[in-house]
């Protein structure tokens, strides 16, 4: 049984979506986290080294950080078909999207939110407008990041877009709106929402 350390309305919410898509056996352990608005605190019950979420425990193994958990779980439950396995022609694109999400997309939006311009040539990320050129070009060939195949990468990107779409960080377009609807319209998303508070 996988134990998900979860704080409602946080990055761990999409891990519930992932676990539901995988059909994996899991239980949720709610933990407190420090929030951007100054509320919350580090929770001694949370094994993440910095008191953040998500983190999971599985058969004595601790896995933390979204991308590590995503790879770990989609590799553990390959029958669900949302994480291309080693040898699949889509494996490289899948891993690239996971790394791109963590290493380029999130830093781009955080930087924009904080008013930080990425130093050209030295930062590992780029301006959000450059990110969206690549994302839009990919989704125009879509309907998902890997083409016809929905993957766990869409869980990460689609749920992030659902949060930001139409706000100052992400312009609303028909292309992105349709993509978000495809991702959040999945039955596993509805089941995850129902379990959001434990």
């Amino acid at each position: 049984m996988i134990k998900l350390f979860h704080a409602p309305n946080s990055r761990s919410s999409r891990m519930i979506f992932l676990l539901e898509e995988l059909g994996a056996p899991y239980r949720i352990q709610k933990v407190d986290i420090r929030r951007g608005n100054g509320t919350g605190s580090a929770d001694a019950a949370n094994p993440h080294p910095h008191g953040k979420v998500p983190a999971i425990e599985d058969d004595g193994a601790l896995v933390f950080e979204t991308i590590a958990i995503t790879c770990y779980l989609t590799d553990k439950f390959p029958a669900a078909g949302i994480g291309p396995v080693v040898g699949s022609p889509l494996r490289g694109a899948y891993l690239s999207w996971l790394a791109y999400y963590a290493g380029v997309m999130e830093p781009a939006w955080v930087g924009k939110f904080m008013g930080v311009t990425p130093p050209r040539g030295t930062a590992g990320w780029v301006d959000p407008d450059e990110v969206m050129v690549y994302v839009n070009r990919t989704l125009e060939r879509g309907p998902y990041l890997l083409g016809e195949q929905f993957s766990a990468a869409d869980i990460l990107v689609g749920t992030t877009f659902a949060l930001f779409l139409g706000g100052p960080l992400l312009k609303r377009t028909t292309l992105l709106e349709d993509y978000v609807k495809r991702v959040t319209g999945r039955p596993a998303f509805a089941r995850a929402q129902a379990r959001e508070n434990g």
Side-chain angles (χ1 to χ4, degrees):
M1 176 73 69
I2 295 161
K3 184 193 295 185
L4 171 67
F5 296 89
H6 168 62
N9 303 308
S10 73
R11 284 180 169 92
S12 60
S13 298
R14 57 196 173 187
M15 293 297 99
I16 303 173
F17 183 7
L18 175 62
L19 286 158
E20 287 291 335
E21 280 284 351
L22 292 169
Y26 73 98
R27 68 182 182 87
I28 294 172
Q29 179 167 332
K30 285 172 65 174
V31 293
D32 197 14
I33 58 170
R34 294 176 293 239
R35 303 275 183 173
N37 64 5
T39 63
S41 61
D43 190 331
N46 185 355
H48 188 291
H50 304 296
K52 296 178 177 283
V53 288
I56 63 169
E57 283 182 356
D58 180 38
D59 292 330
L62 171 65
V63 186
F64 57 91
E65 296 301 311
T66 297
I67 304 311
I69 294 168
T70 301
C71 277
Y72 179 90
L73 291 175
T74 57
D75 284 355
K76 181 168 179 143
F77 298 97
I82 64 167
V85 298
V86 173
S88 164
L90 294 176
R91 178 73 173 187
Y94 172 64
L95 294 178
S96 294
W97 272 106
L98 294 182
Y100 188 71
Y101 177 81
V104 179
M105 294 177 88
E106 274 205 349
W109 284 311
V110 170
K112 183 173 182 176
F113 178 75
M114 298 180 73
V116 175
T117 303
R120 224 31 178 155
T122 57
W125 71 96
V126 295
D127 184 84
D129 292 340
E130 274 190 64
V131 169
M132 293 315 298
V133 167
Y134 178 57
V135 171
N136 289 332
R137 194 169 58 229
T138 301
L139 291 177
E140 283 164 2
R141 298 189 303 264
Y144 298 108
L145 297 174
L146 300 184
E148 293 298 319
Q149 183 176 335
F150 174 81
S151 76
D154 293 298
I155 291 174
L156 306 185
V157 174
T159 56
T160 300
F161 285 3
L163 286 174
F164 295 137
L165 195 61
L169 296 180
L170 188 62
K171 182 181 173 185
R172 183 180 299 278
T173 66
T174 301
L175 179 70
L176 296 180
E177 196 165 43
D178 289 349
Y179 172 65
V180 167
K181 285 178 184 173
R182 280 192 296 278
V183 173
T184 61
R186 296 177 69 84
F189 181 78
R191 293 194 304 271
Q193 292 291 291
R195 296 206 60 190
E196 173 65 19
N197 289 309

